[in-house]
Amino acid sequence: MKVYSSLKEVEQRKELLRERIRNGNTTITRLSSDIFIPKTPDTRKERIAQWVNAGLIGFDIVMLAKKLDNKYAFVMKSMELFKKWRS
């Protein structure tokens, strides 16, 4: 660890750290926009691939919901029985 002996050295170090933080922030902003902002497809093939991908995601969601419903249906039934018993 470097020991700073003058105010000028401290100010230079402070400015260097600020510049690194600015560079880091711009990098984070660029990477997050690359990840979260959807890209518009350029060609017909890319559009079709995007539609197929969206369809498969929808199918996966439906199948997961059905699987969870089959596996945990007893929870809902027991809640209904509890409500009937309570009233």
Side-chain angles (χ1 to χ4, degrees), residues 65-80:
K66 182 176 164 84
K67 183 178 180 180
L68 290 174
D69 183 48
N70 288 340
K71 189 170 185 177
Y72 297 107
F74 71 91
V75 174
M76 294 305 290
K77 288 179 185 176
S78 64
M79 288 174 61
E80 289 173 9

Side-chain angles (χ1 to χ4, degrees), residues 42-77:
D42 295 331
T43 64
R44 186 172 183 218
K45 286 186 218 177
E46 289 176 351
R47 277 195 301 269
I48 292 171
Q50 192 177 31
W51 293 339
V52 168
N53 191 20
L56 288 174
I57 289 172
F59 179 75
D60 281 345
I61 290 171
V62 169
M63 294 306 291
L64 177 64
K66 182 176 164 84
K67 183 178 180 180
L68 290 174
D69 183 48
N70 288 340
K71 189 170 185 177
Y72 297 107
F74 71 91
V75 174
M76 294 305 290
K77 288 179 185 176

Side-chain angles (χ1 to χ4, degrees), residues 6-85:
S6 71
L7 185 59
K8 187 174 182 175
E9 289 178 348
V10 171
E11 288 174 350
Q12 287 174 347
R13 174 72 176 155
K14 188 176 174 181
E15 187 57 39
L16 176 69
L17 290 175
R18 281 187 180 148
E19 188 62 33
R20 285 185 183 172
I21 290 171
R22 280 188 218 112
N23 291 339
N25 286 341
T26 56
T27 303
I28 289 170
T29 303
R30 182 181 48 82
L31 291 175
S32 64
S33 67
D34 288 347
I35 292 172
F36 295 111
I37 296 175
K39 308 239 182 311
T40 56
D42 295 331
T43 64
R44 186 172 183 218
K45 286 186 218 177
E46 289 176 351
R47 277 195 301 269
I48 292 171
Q50 192 177 31
W51 293 339
V52 168
N53 191 20
L56 288 174
I57 289 172
F59 179 75
D60 281 345
I61 290 171
V62 169
M63 294 306 291
L64 177 64
K66 182 176 164 84
K67 183 178 180 180
L68 290 174
D69 183 48
N70 288 340
K71 189 170 185 177
Y72 297 107
F74 71 91
V75 174
M76 294 305 290
K77 288 179 185 176
S78 64
M79 288 174 61
E80 289 173 9
L81 291 174
F82 180 71
K83 286 179 185 176
K84 286 181 184 178
W85 175 74

